[in-house]
Amino acid sequence: MTYEVPRKFPTTVVGSYPKLPPAKEALRRLRKGLASEEEVRPLFEEAIKGVVEDQLWAGIDIISDGEQTREDMVVYFAERVKGYMPGEWVKIFDNVYFRKPIIYDRVEWTRPLTVQDWLTATRYSKGRPVKGILTGPYTMVEWSFDLYYKDRYEAIIALAREIRKEIEALVEAGAKYIQVDEPALSTRPWREEAEIAGEALKILFNGIEAKKIVHICFGRVEEILPYILDYPVDQFDLEFKNSNFRLLPYLKEYGYNKELGYGVIDVHNTQVESVEEILRDIERLMNLGILPPEKVYVDPDCGLKRLPRDVARMKLRNMAEAARIAREQW
Ligand SMILES: [Zn+2]
């Protein structure tokens, strides 16, 4: 079964989706040591199937597995890459704690970590492409304690070499879209940092035959924008809605001309954007006159995991409907 992704304004998601009840149960059993990964696999498969069905119902063109097996975008990988060990709980917001992992030895990728979930999602996707989604080396190092490399650059490059193996495994399985998430980049918006992340991306993506995407969100992206535009990627996927499209004039100022994952859905707000509102927001970008509709991928600002499921579903549905109307207009 093949599915033709619309040429103009294809719709997609950034990755995570609210955890469905079977995934919550599976994660609970794993956390408490009550079951093995193999034993809870059927629960995860059921959850991924549900996530895929929601996205098909909403009309999304390029979908994800909803990251149902990942309790956290950094910890998931850290627990499965050799050289890492579980860390201490650290406070990141008022009431949010994060178990910051520790690099204590040379990092080493020993087996595919996301391919099984990608295959499960693909099995239910009715031909729609499923994005392969990974946490990038810059963010992995930034949100870990490093006791081994002692030098951030060295640690990031070492991780990039290992994460590349996951990208190769996804592409070999058939993934046509690879997205690397680097949210930490916007928290250190300086030229030197952008250059380090850029070196890592060269290692990740050199010679990879798939659509190459980097997702960056929240924080002062406009300050690093001039330094990331020559990254070896096809597409930047960026948050716009939550910051009231503050970034838009900078795209024009810096001559942005890659594909753009255009975030038009606020993932921190349970109010569902109306079709008209999303259309107006698409219009803001089109009015800049910098990108043709073929280069504009319509999607939410970031992962949807913190929203209630029915809200996430409706937001995606309105977004897909707005993109459909936009295709007639531009
Ligand atoms: Zn994000």
Side-chain angles (χ1 to χ4, degrees), residues 18 64 74 83 105 189 219 226 229 305:
S64 81
V74 169
D105 200 352
L229 290 178
K305 67 178 174 189

PDB file of all heavy atoms in Angstrom, residues 18 64 74 83 105 189 219 226 229 305:
ATOM      1  N   PRO A  18       0.315  11.741  23.832  1.00  0.00           N
ATOM      2  CA  PRO A  18      -0.048  11.310  25.189  1.00  0.00           C
ATOM      3  C   PRO A  18       0.119   9.791  25.322  1.00  0.00           C
ATOM      4  O   PRO A  18      -0.192   9.055  24.394  1.00  0.00           O
ATOM      5  CB  PRO A  18      -1.527  11.705  25.299  1.00  0.00           C
ATOM      6  CG  PRO A  18      -1.741  12.758  24.256  1.00  0.00           C
ATOM      7  CD  PRO A  18      -0.729  12.543  23.184  1.00  0.00           C
ATOM      8  N   SER A  64       4.033   9.488  13.459  1.00  0.00           N
ATOM      9  CA  SER A  64       5.068   8.969  14.364  1.00  0.00           C
ATOM     10  C   SER A  64       4.490   7.825  15.193  1.00  0.00           C
ATOM     11  O   SER A  64       3.283   7.609  15.204  1.00  0.00           O
ATOM     12  CB  SER A  64       5.570  10.067  15.308  1.00  0.00           C
ATOM     13  OG  SER A  64       4.670  10.228  16.388  1.00  0.00           O
ATOM     14  N   VAL A  74      15.599  11.644  26.867  1.00  0.00           N
ATOM     15  CA  VAL A  74      17.028  11.432  27.105  1.00  0.00           C
ATOM     16  C   VAL A  74      17.262  10.111  27.828  1.00  0.00           C
ATOM     17  O   VAL A  74      18.089   9.297  27.429  1.00  0.00           O
ATOM     18  CB  VAL A  74      17.629  12.616  27.899  1.00  0.00           C
ATOM     19  CG1 VAL A  74      19.031  12.298  28.394  1.00  0.00           C
ATOM     20  CG2 VAL A  74      17.665  13.864  27.024  1.00  0.00           C
ATOM     21  N   GLY A  83      27.908   2.628  28.476  1.00  0.00           N
ATOM     22  CA  GLY A  83      28.720   3.763  28.901  1.00  0.00           C
ATOM     23  C   GLY A  83      27.930   4.740  29.757  1.00  0.00           C
ATOM     24  O   GLY A  83      28.502   5.633  30.371  1.00  0.00           O
ATOM     25  N   ASP A 105      31.637   5.891  31.031  1.00  0.00           N
ATOM     26  CA  ASP A 105      32.579   5.087  30.235  1.00  0.00           C
ATOM     27  C   ASP A 105      32.381   5.463  28.762  1.00  0.00           C
ATOM     28  O   ASP A 105      31.472   6.218  28.430  1.00  0.00           O
ATOM     29  CB  ASP A 105      32.274   3.597  30.451  1.00  0.00           C
ATOM     30  CG  ASP A 105      33.459   2.706  30.070  1.00  0.00           C
ATOM     31  OD1 ASP A 105      34.449   3.224  29.509  1.00  0.00           O
ATOM     32  OD2 ASP A 105      33.379   1.496  30.317  1.00  0.00           O
ATOM     33  N   PRO A 189      22.098  29.598  23.302  1.00  0.00           N
ATOM     34  CA  PRO A 189      22.015  30.112  21.932  1.00  0.00           C
ATOM     35  C   PRO A 189      23.233  30.931  21.518  1.00  0.00           C
ATOM     36  O   PRO A 189      23.118  32.114  21.252  1.00  0.00           O
ATOM     37  CB  PRO A 189      20.745  30.972  21.967  1.00  0.00           C
ATOM     38  CG  PRO A 189      20.676  31.470  23.377  1.00  0.00           C
ATOM     39  CD  PRO A 189      21.353  30.441  24.250  1.00  0.00           C
ATOM     40  N   GLY A 219      12.869  28.681  23.675  1.00  0.00           N
ATOM     41  CA  GLY A 219      14.164  29.331  23.896  1.00  0.00           C
ATOM     42  C   GLY A 219      14.423  30.310  22.766  1.00  0.00           C
ATOM     43  O   GLY A 219      13.552  30.568  21.941  1.00  0.00           O
ATOM     44  N   PRO A 226      21.254  32.451  12.522  1.00  0.00           N
ATOM     45  CA  PRO A 226      22.263  32.672  11.472  1.00  0.00           C
ATOM     46  C   PRO A 226      23.358  31.606  11.442  1.00  0.00           C
ATOM     47  O   PRO A 226      23.983  31.403  10.417  1.00  0.00           O
ATOM     48  CB  PRO A 226      22.864  34.042  11.819  1.00  0.00           C
ATOM     49  CG  PRO A 226      22.270  34.478  13.099  1.00  0.00           C
ATOM     50  CD  PRO A 226      21.164  33.558  13.470  1.00  0.00           C
ATOM     51  N   LEU A 229      21.942  27.840   9.712  1.00  0.00           N
ATOM     52  CA  LEU A 229      21.310  27.737   8.397  1.00  0.00           C
ATOM     53  C   LEU A 229      22.086  26.879   7.401  1.00  0.00           C
ATOM     54  O   LEU A 229      21.524  26.396   6.429  1.00  0.00           O
ATOM     55  CB  LEU A 229      21.062  29.137   7.808  1.00  0.00           C
ATOM     56  CG  LEU A 229      19.954  29.913   8.542  1.00  0.00           C
ATOM     57  CD1 LEU A 229      19.789  31.301   7.937  1.00  0.00           C
ATOM     58  CD2 LEU A 229      18.625  29.164   8.500  1.00  0.00           C
ATOM     59  N   LYS A 305       2.890  15.132  24.166  1.00  0.00           N
ATOM     60  CA  LYS A 305       2.731  14.195  25.285  1.00  0.00           C
ATOM     61  C   LYS A 305       2.060  14.770  26.525  1.00  0.00           C
ATOM     62  O   LYS A 305       1.475  14.027  27.290  1.00  0.00           O
ATOM     63  CB  LYS A 305       4.083  13.588  25.659  1.00  0.00           C
ATOM     64  CG  LYS A 305       5.087  14.568  26.237  1.00  0.00           C
ATOM     65  CD  LYS A 305       6.385  13.851  26.611  1.00  0.00           C
ATOM     66  CE  LYS A 305       7.420  14.859  27.053  1.00  0.00           C
ATOM     67  NZ  LYS A 305       8.731  14.235  27.205  1.00  0.00           N
TER      68      LYS A 305
END
